[in-house]
Amino acid sequence: MTRSRISRGFALALLLISAGARPAFAQSLPDLVTTDTLRVCGDPGNMPFSQRKEDGFENRIAAIIADELKVKIRYYWLTQGPGFVRNTLGTGLCDIIIGSAAGGDLVQHSNPYYRSAYTLVTRTGELDGVTRLDDPKLKGKSIGVIGGTPPVNRMGELGLVSAMKAYAPYQLDPARKHQTIAAEVIADLAEKRIDAAILWGPAAGWLAKQSGVPMTVVPLLQEPDRPPLTFRIALGVRLEENDWKRTLNTILRKRRADIEKVLRDYDVPLLEEEGSKLLEAPSP
């Protein structure tokens, strides 16, 4: 998802977290690991990625994998946050994480199945034309960002921290109003509590469309390589499960077009495998 090993691992851990942490809870291990079930580690409230209704794009990708394997899906739910991998894959509760930032050390990764970027989100008509964080139009603007994510470092380099509104990466209040931190940021932007937001693109595109306020989502493709603001996303499996990884890689190749369609349906900004260009949509 380019920097030191420790800071890279921290950034990868925070990358897809747009929901808050809740304490890990115990679940009963299945008596037998069968071959007729795809056991998925999922977040029960992290739209547009996943939720219990199974209508997030990661849920739909899991369904594609299960279809190819000709098995049913069983979810083990745990909110993204500290201990997610340890308490899901690590305990044997499930066998796959849909949507893991390639390059992390806690899991073994499949081949990446998409690449995306952090984005600048603004209310349409107010900061139109801004495509870089060093644009003078952003000076003095209140910009929402999730604390600990890579854009914070870039904002520091550009002197944007003084007006930055940093949101805690984990939600610890059970009475919280919004399902995820990213949803809270977009709500504040819609209600003009902030002037702009910098969010992970796969969350930003869908949330902006759901906000009810016209918003412009611009992938940050012109920033320096460090800190990185573009990342490859893969499937996560246990470190020793090489055969399982190869099986998944075969499915990802075979169902590539189906997976891409799902991502586009949820307004995920898709990048070419290399470089700083958006992936062109397939011809109708």
Side-chain angles (χ1 to χ4, degrees):
M1 253 197 152
T2 120
R3 62 173 78 88
S4 74
R5 191 177 184 87
I6 293 176
S7 61
R8 181 186 68 180
F10 181 68
L12 293 175
L14 287 171
L15 174 60
L16 298 182
I17 294 172
S18 54
R22 291 196 295 265
F25 54 88
Q27 299 187 53
S28 299
L29 286 170
D31 293 333
L32 293 173
V33 177
T34 63
T35 58
D36 64 352
T37 304
L38 177 65
R39 300 187 305 146
V40 178
C41 321
D43 189 315
N46 190 21
M47 285 296 284
F49 302 98
S50 66
Q51 65 176 358
R52 287 187 188 274
K53 295 180 182 178
E54 299 182 26
D55 54 355
F57 69 77
E58 290 181 355
N59 301 124
R60 289 183 59 186
I61 291 170
I64 289 171
I65 295 170
D67 176 69
E68 191 63 31
L69 293 169
K70 301 296 186 279
V71 298
K72 60 186 179 181
I73 297 177
R74 181 174 182 182
Y75 278 96
Y76 289 87
W77 300 110
L78 185 66
T79 299
Q80 287 274 359
F84 179 79
V85 173
R86 181 179 67 252
N87 290 292
T88 53
L89 279 181
T91 58
L93 283 171
C94 46
D95 303 310
I96 186 174
I97 294 174
I98 310 292
S100 180
D105 300 325
L106 296 179
V107 301
Q108 180 175 204
H109 288 100
S110 70
N111 294 334
Y113 58 94
Y114 77 94
R115 180 171 173 251
S116 194
Y118 275 87
T119 58
L120 176 69
V121 189
T122 60
R123 291 182 294 272
T124 300
E126 297 188 15
L127 288 167
D128 292 355
V130 177
T131 60
R132 299 172 56 99
L133 295 182
D134 60 2
D135 191 305
K137 293 179 183 176
L138 294 178
K139 287 290 185 181
K141 299 296 184 183
S142 176
I143 303 174
V145 64
I146 297 175
T149 55
V152 174
N153 293 336
R154 177 62 176 152
M155 293 174 72
E157 294 172 356
L158 296 172
L160 296 174
V161 171
S162 60
M164 176 181 75
K165 181 177 180 180
Y167 293 74
Y170 306 114
Q171 296 195 88
L172 301 176
D173 182 3
R176 63 190 183 277
K177 182 178 179 181
H178 302 283
Q179 188 185 65
T180 67
I181 297 293
E184 179 183 351
V185 176
I186 290 294
D188 282 354
L189 180 61
E191 295 165 10
K192 298 188 176 182
R193 295 191 181 97
I194 55 177
D195 300 310
I198 302 175
L199 292 172
W200 176 229
W206 185 85
L207 290 169
K209 182 172 284 187
Q210 298 294 314
S211 70
V213 173
M215 293 187 181
T216 301
V217 180
V218 178
L220 294 169
L221 304 181
Q222 302 179 51
E223 304 301 317
D225 292 338
R226 292 181 174 79
L229 298 183
T230 65
F231 296 91
R232 292 176 172 83
I233 304 301
L235 306 173
V237 301
R238 279 178 283 273
L239 295 175
E240 69 277 10
E241 294 177 336
N242 296 319
D243 289 343
W244 177 221
K245 181 185 74 170
R246 284 189 285 270
T247 296
L248 293 171
N249 282 339
T250 298
I251 294 172
L252 292 176
R253 285 192 299 271
K254 183 176 179 181
R255 302 296 293 269
R256 181 184 183 96
D258 295 328
I259 292 171
E260 181 179 333
K261 183 180 184 305
V262 167
L263 296 169
R264 291 190 183 278
D265 285 347
Y266 284 76
D267 298 293
V268 175
L270 298 177
L271 276 59
E272 294 182 350
E273 292 185 9
E274 301 291 341
S276 300
K277 292 184 178 180
L278 290 172
L279 184 67
E280 291 187 10
S283 301

